[in-house]
Amino acid sequence: MKKILVLNGPNLNLLGVREKSIYGDQSFDQYFGDLKNKYDTLELEYFQSNSEGTIIDKLHEVGFSYDGVVLNAGAYTHTSVAIADAIAAINTPVIEVHISNVHQREAFRHHSYLSKNCKGVILGFGLDSYRLAIESFI
Ligand code: DQA
């Protein structure tokens, strides 16, 4: 069974509560439960942290044994050279995802430090962005 980690960064623990007009009204736990049911031929895991260092530690932990990481690094996407370096350092392919279409939003969200080191980027499909990324590992 392929092992895939879905890794969410800062403020994504508040999905379903936070800025619903942008991020929708479903909690991630609810959505992730649906994903697990749908993809029962994959070993899907979920981890969320609001801390940059913890996200990096998690990438190091899974990055030499898992088959894929689906990463929404939240605002760290636009600021973190350290997460970009962690993605480059590991063997496991990482797909960058975003719920919103960041290119329709503020200019500071248009640049990602991470994209260059990722296998691909999926954004703007709401929570379905995660499912599309998971599909790419099948
Ligand atoms: C986000 C977009 C980021 O710009 C923002 O900081 C987030 C969520 C998204 O999924 O659309 O926290 O990554």
Side-chain angles (χ1 to χ4, degrees):
M1 249 194 195
K2 282 190 176 171
K3 274 184 128 176
I4 309 288
L5 174 71
V6 176
L7 179 53
N8 268 345
N11 301 306
L12 293 164
N13 54 314
L14 293 182
L15 286 175
V17 176
R18 157 194 199 207
E19 298 181 278
K20 289 185 189 178
S21 60
I22 300 173
Y23 300 113
D25 54 15
Q26 202 176 4
S27 75
F28 200 80
D29 282 346
Q30 206 179 6
Y31 176 70
F32 189 68
D34 295 346
L35 278 182
K36 278 190 80 115
N37 290 337
K38 186 172 168 61
Y39 295 103
D40 56 4
T41 57
L42 294 174
E43 216 172 300
L44 276 183
E45 274 176 32
Y46 175 54
F47 185 79
Q48 189 275 334
S49 174
N50 293 318
S51 307
E52 190 173 19
T54 307
I55 293 167
I56 293 166
D57 287 341
K58 197 69 188 176
L59 287 168
H60 293 177
E61 183 188 316
V62 304
F64 297 91
S65 55
Y66 282 42
D67 299 290
V69 173
V70 174
L71 172 64
N72 186 349
Y76 286 139
T77 305
H78 318 298
T79 63
S80 181
V81 175
I83 293 177
D85 284 351
I87 295 167
I90 61 176
N91 294 336
T92 300
V94 176
I95 305 211
E96 175 182 344
V97 301
H98 300 285
I99 298 163
S100 63
N101 180 347
V102 287
H103 299 290
Q104 291 174 344
R105 301 181 63 193
E106 302 95 323
F108 64 83
R109 295 185 205 274
H110 297 180
H111 177 257
S112 165
Y113 281 98
L114 315 184
S115 303
K116 178 182 167 295
N117 298 336
C118 289
K119 187 178 178 198
V121 181
I122 297 174
L123 59 88
F125 293 94
L127 288 177
D128 208 34
S129 297
Y130 293 90
R131 186 191 60 79
L132 292 167
I134 288 165
E135 282 282 340
S136 77
F137 286 117
I138 292 171

